[in-house]
């Protein structure tokens, strides 16, 4: 489904992304967006995704490692390092 909205451009060139869309895309004031100019007439705006972010929830429900677990893993991989 395509959603459309008309927004005014401010005097300094700013455009507001509607809150509903920011919520859907999980965009907050710490995120960056990518802008792409297509065919000199269309601007595509996308949430910039960190390369380590996994969008398909592959690790959903998996708890992160504790510091102790990380230390044990380092010791098993690098036994000569103390």
């Amino acid at each position: 489904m395509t959603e459309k909205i008309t927004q005014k451009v401010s005097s300094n060139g700013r455009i507001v992304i509607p809150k509903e869309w920011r919520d859907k895309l999980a965009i907050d004031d710490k995120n960056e967006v990518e802008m792409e100019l297509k065919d000199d007439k269309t601007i595509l705006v996308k949430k910039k995704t960190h390369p380590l972010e996994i969008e398909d929830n592959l690790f959903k429900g998996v708890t992160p490692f504790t510091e102790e677990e990380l230390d044990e893993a380092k010791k098993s991989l690098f036994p000569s390092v103390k």
Side-chain angles (χ1 to χ4, degrees):
M1 179 175 84
T2 301
E3 294 181 48
K4 293 183 179 185
I5 190 167
T6 301
Q7 293 285 83
K8 273 193 162 189
V9 178
S10 72
S11 60
N12 57 1
R14 293 184 179 158
I15 302 170
V16 174
I17 300 170
K19 176 151 178 34
E20 180 182 334
W21 291 7
R22 293 191 316 263
D23 291 345
K24 283 182 181 181
L25 298 172
I27 295 174
D28 61 27
D29 61 353
K30 294 174 184 73
N31 293 120
E32 293 181 342
V33 293
E34 296 176 338
M35 294 186 289
E36 180 180 339
L37 181 61
K38 292 184 162 219
D39 303 323
D40 289 336
K41 61 182 176 183
T42 303
I43 300 171
L44 176 65
V45 180
K46 300 188 292 186
K47 177 183 177 183
K48 187 170 182 179
T49 306
H50 189 279
L52 297 179
E53 268 187 82
I54 301 199
E55 296 184 65
D56 61 357
N57 295 320
L58 180 64
F59 296 109
K60 188 174 185 172
V62 176
T63 57
F65 291 112
T66 64
E67 287 298 320
E68 294 80 21
E69 290 171 325
L70 289 173
D71 287 341
E72 285 299 315
K74 288 176 191 175
K75 287 176 189 174
S76 69
L77 292 170
F78 309 105
S80 61
V81 178
K82 303 217 176 200

